[in-house]
């Protein structure tokens, strides 16, 4: 475990840090500086209540009820009721890693001292993270403005002894688990319920996870694409640095560099230098342009996500007892747009991967039809490409931008919403499909490379082939390929495939991403 402590509310949260906190390899805590800010902000709220200053959500109703005054004695009850009334989510629970990220990003935002929450509330959220008592959050119900109200309400119901949690693999009533630990539910103070549910942490959690997962896919796609090019005896000429200086998009330049390094010193490549083929199909020749465009989209999403990771998205903002601002920092539009863009970027990586799968099956350039010698009795690798075709088309249907729509809520008080929550969930679904598509291309490319023996590819690509072969062997006849696909999808998703290739490159003194620090996740 990395023993370096992350200080909520003070340290800068990036993708690497939030994922380490969510995975448990790094621990977070409140620093003395953050504690002081939180206590000061909470005192401002107490002063507002005692001085009877009208501030939205402290002594007024919510949304269209903002003009309804709440008495001082009811300000605490109001915060309890908002968690109940806004817990209207439906559908399956979100994945546990997403819920953990929501907890982490919420405590980091609140700990900056502009939300008026009590220290006890932040300590309880931290307790949930540290003890892996993760609230059950339904996946649907947020419109991505006024904060992710429904999912955040469900996330924090356990604070008041309501809702459900996952604990030790079981889904249980929150009150049961609190009793198991001997912990009493909290009595929320003024402003706290609103502060807990106002924010973009649902959108943000899917964005942070999506940045990491898309990064893994992009890294894998370059390697697998290079393996397919080798199997198809394609040329590396389109990756020449001189060509890409003439159109120097960062992502394109990076992918071209990676492909050059991956293919360097390949005996397969050298064997067909004078074959007479003039140009390869686009899915081989244009990998820098297509993969690179998706990398540019990824970089944009990462930059905006890391801004949001350190933002305060509450409303109202508490600057002092007499200094509050009701604004719109809860609006999800800044992430909704790049999430929709990332959906397209991920879908296109799958699209071009499917085209390479198809090329591998055609029986051209010395490969057997359907990548198997005895076809007829055997269908070979024909049907896995049906799956990539289906997944590519499903991804296309998921590419309609959720952020293009807005439906007024709260009787028109909240008359423009981002739908960014849907954008984030769609990206997760597209990435699920993309991981399977890349797994099928990897399975097909590994099979095809076997037909080039005794020639060998570069040492780096041979390491990729060897690692994949630890999980999926050569197919001399038909078998249940779905089992192979699942195996290879796992090593793509957990990043072990790319890590193995990076290790092989490092052993050769090669940094596949050298000079492109902006495309790395530290």
């Amino acid at each position: 475990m990395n023993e370096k402590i992350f200080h909520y509310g003070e340290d800068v949260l990036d993708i690497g840090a939030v994922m380490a906190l969510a995975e448990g390899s790094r621990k977070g805590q409140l620093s003395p500086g953050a504690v002081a800010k939180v206590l000061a902000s909470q005192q401002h709220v107490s002063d507002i209540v005692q001085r009877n200053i009208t501030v939205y959500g402290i002594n007024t109703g919510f949304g269209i009820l903002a003009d309804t005054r709440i008495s001082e004695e009811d300000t605490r009850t109001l915060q309890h009721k908002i968690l109940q009334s806004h817990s209207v989510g439906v559908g399956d629970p979100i994945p546990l890693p997403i819920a953990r990220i929501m907890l982490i990003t919420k405590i980091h935002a609140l700990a900056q001292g502009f939300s008026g929450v009590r220290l006890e509330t932040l300590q309880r959220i931290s307790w949930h993270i540290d003890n892996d008592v993760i609230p059950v959050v339904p996946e649907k119900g947020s419109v991505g403005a006024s904060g992710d109200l429904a999912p955040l309400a469900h996330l924090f119901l356990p604070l008041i002894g309501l809702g459900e949690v996952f604990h030790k693999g079981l889904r249980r009533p929150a009150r049961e688990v609190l009793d198991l630990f001997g912990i009493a539910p909290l009595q929320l103070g003024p402003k706290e319920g609103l502060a807990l549910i106002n924010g973009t942490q649902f959108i943000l959690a899917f964005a942070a996870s999506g940045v990491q997962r898309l990064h893994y896919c992009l890294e894998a796609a370059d390697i697998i694409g290079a393996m397919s090019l080798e199997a198809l005896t394609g040329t590396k000429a389109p990756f020449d640095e001189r060509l890409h200086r003439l159109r120097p998009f960062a992502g394109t330049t990076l992918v071209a560099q990676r492909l050059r390094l991956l293919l360097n010193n390949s005996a397969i490549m050298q064997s067909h230098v004078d074959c007479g083929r003039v140009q390869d199909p686009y899915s081989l020749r244009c990998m820098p342009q297509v993969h690179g465009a998706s990398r540019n989209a990824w970089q944009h999403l990462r930059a905006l996500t890391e801004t949001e990771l350190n933002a305060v998205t509450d409303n109202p903002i508490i600057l002092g007892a007499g200094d509050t601002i009701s604004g719109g920092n809860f609006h999800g539009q800044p992430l909704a747009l790049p999430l929709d863009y990332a959906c397209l970027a991920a879908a296109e990586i799958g699209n071009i991967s499917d085209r390479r799968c198809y090329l591998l099956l055609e029986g051209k350039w010395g490969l057997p039809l359907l990548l198997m010698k005895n076809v007829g009795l055997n269908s070979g690798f024909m049907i896995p490409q049906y799956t990539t075709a289906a997944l590519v088309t499903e991804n296309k249907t998921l590419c309609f931008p959720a952020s293009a729509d807005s439906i007024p809520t709260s009787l028109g008080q909240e008359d423009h919403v981002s739908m960014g929550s849907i954008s984030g969930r769609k990206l997760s679904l597209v990435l699920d499909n993309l991981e399977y598509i890349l797994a099928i291309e990897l399975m097909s490319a590994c099979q095809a490379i076997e037909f080039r023996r005794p020639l060998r590819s570069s040492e780096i690509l041979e390491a990729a082939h060897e690692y994949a072969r630890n999980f999926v062997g050569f197919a001399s006849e038909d078998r249940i390929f779905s089992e192979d696909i699942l195996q290879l999808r796992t090593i793509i998703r957990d990043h072990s495939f790319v890590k193995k290739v990076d290790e092989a490159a490092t052993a050769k003194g090669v940094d596949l991403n050298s000079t492109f620090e902006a495309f790395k996740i530290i």
Side-chain angles (χ1 to χ4, degrees), residues 11-50:
D11 291 346
V12 175
L13 194 58
D14 59 19
I15 298 297
V18 76
M19 299 313 294
L21 289 165
E23 293 161 4
S25 60
R26 191 171 179 187
K27 183 176 174 56
Q29 67 180 28
L30 294 164
S31 68
V35 168
K37 290 187 292 184
V38 168
L39 292 174
S41 182
Q42 194 272 325
Q43 185 59 50
H44 293 325
V45 171
S46 296
D47 292 344
I48 288 168
V49 173
Q50 292 170 8

Side-chain angles (χ1 to χ4, degrees), residues 64-183:
I64 193 64
L65 302 174
D67 293 330
T68 302
R69 285 282 304 203
I70 305 297
S71 65
E72 180 177 349
E73 57 269 23
D74 286 336
T75 54
R76 290 180 177 272
T77 304
L78 177 69
Q79 305 307 315
H80 185 95
K81 285 183 173 294
I82 193 174
L83 291 187
Q84 291 179 301
S85 66
H86 287 58
S87 294
V88 293
V90 297
D92 295 331
I94 61 174
L96 288 180
I98 299 294
R100 287 192 195 96
I101 296 171
M102 289 179 69
L103 291 169
I104 291 160
T105 53
K106 174 57 80 172
I107 193 172
H108 185 54
L110 296 178
Q112 294 181 51
F114 297 98
S115 299
V117 298
R118 295 175 306 148
L119 179 60
E120 297 94 317
T121 301
L122 295 187
Q123 290 170 333
R124 180 61 60 84
I125 298 171
S126 183
W127 177 87
H128 276 274
I129 298 167
D130 293 343
N131 290 277
D132 202 28
V133 178
I134 306 302
V136 174
V137 179
E139 63 183 347
K140 300 177 184 180
S142 172
V143 296
S146 293
D148 288 308
L149 297 175
L152 284 168
H154 284 278
L155 187 74
F156 293 118
L157 278 176
L159 298 185
I160 58 174
L162 302 177
E164 295 179 296
V165 296
F166 288 107
H167 179 240
K168 293 186 175 180
L170 298 176
R171 181 173 176 172
R172 303 175 63 182
R175 187 59 185 264
E176 281 186 13
V177 177
L178 292 180
D179 289 345
L180 181 67
F181 281 89
I183 293 175

